[in-house]
Amino acid sequence: QSVLTQPPSVSGAPGQRVTISCTGGSSNIGAGYDVHWYQQLPGSAPKLLIYDYSGRPSGVPDRFSGSRSGTSASLAITWLQAEDEADYYCQSYDSSLREVFGGGTKLTVL
Amino acid sequence: QLQLQESGPGLVKPSETLSLTCTVSGGSISRSDYYWGWIRQPPGRGLEWIGSIYYSGTTYYNPSLKSRVTISVDTSKNQFSLKLTSVTAADTAVYYCARHLRTGGRYLFDYWGQGTLVTVSA
């Protein structure tokens, strides 16, 4: 059971918009710690996708965006493309557990 | 461009010690504001942070693994290493090393190695 909760899977057709949620608690997101998102393409290492809820590292398309609401964070992907099919992980800091990851969400592009 | 590369045995026997090294190239491991961390991923499962080290030797460990983990750094070789003792099949995973930013309330992993699979089996 992960400290940060993500849906196991989401799906969408090319061109559509999907969102992935990441729900935490008072010792992590609710305590004000930032949330970051990673994309893991099949057979590859994770890659930093979004930092500090909504920042994008150089080279990440603006189709990817992040937001926060209370003790949750969300990743949105617009104009879905086949190459977006991957696993997505949220990550934050927990005052008792240190660095923590969500359980991961598998995105399927239909 | 910063690059990280894990190395070490791909097979470890139960009850023995898993040892891995991460070699950093394209940048100094002694750069301030950055720690260097280990993360693992069991087959078909999610990511788990193991621990991190600063170039000075300061370490932070996942409480669930702390009793079995030692992370060390060799600044002269631009390397840091992981030792995990008393391994079991549950420690079978892909092990990643990563650059770990821990400053200003920000805790994230911005560069990752490609990962190395370590299997625990007799």
Side-chain angles (χ1 to χ4, degrees), chain A residues 5-72:
Chain A
T5 301
Q6 298 179 234
S9 63
V10 297
S11 63
Q16 286 188 333
R17 177 181 186 269
V18 297
T19 61
I20 299 172
S21 62
C22 174
T23 302
S26 59
S27 60
N28 41 73
I29 300 176
Y33 295 110
D34 288 337
V35 172
H36 320 290
W37 292 91
Y38 301 85
Q39 177 191 57
Q40 186 175 31
L41 296 171
S44 297
K47 164 194 160 185
L48 181 64
L49 187 68
I50 297 287
Y51 64 91
D52 298 354
Y53 287 106
S54 58
R56 277 189 304 275
S58 174
V60 173
D62 59 8
R63 300 187 297 105
F64 295 90
S65 63
S67 63
R68 174 193 176 184
S69 177
T71 57
S72 295

Side-chain angles (χ1 to χ4, degrees), chain B residues 73-102:
Chain B
V73 64
D74 187 337
T75 56
S76 67
K77 295 181 179 179
N78 233 30
Q79 294 176 334
F80 61 106
S81 298
L82 168 70
K83 289 190 185 301
L84 181 65
T85 62
S86 305
V87 297
T88 69
D91 295 309
T92 294
V94 175
Y95 286 76
Y96 297 100
C97 59
R99 191 173 77 168
H100 187 181
L101 180 62
R102 292 184 111 246

Side-chain angles (χ1 to χ4, degrees), chain B residues 38-92:
Chain B
W38 290 96
I39 300 105
R40 69 179 182 178
Q41 184 174 35
R45 297 180 61 185
L47 301 166
E48 179 182 37
W49 172 69
I50 299 170
S52 298
I53 191 166
Y54 196 57
Y55 74 91
S56 63
T58 299
T59 53
Y60 292 94
Y61 298 132
N62 185 324
S64 69
L65 296 168
K66 186 175 182 177
S67 63
R68 298 194 292 132
V69 173
T70 301
I71 298 176
S72 58
V73 64
D74 187 337
T75 56
S76 67
K77 295 181 179 179
N78 233 30
Q79 294 176 334
F80 61 106
S81 298
L82 168 70
K83 289 190 185 301
L84 181 65
T85 62
S86 305
V87 297
T88 69
D91 295 309
T92 294

Side-chain angles (χ1 to χ4, degrees), chain B residues 5-6 10-11 16 20-21 36 60 93-94 102 116 121:
Chain B
Q5 179 67 58
E6 305 88 353
L11 181 64
E16 295 190 345
L20 295 174
T21 295
W36 303 88
Y60 292 94
V94 175
R102 292 184 111 246
T116 187
S121 175

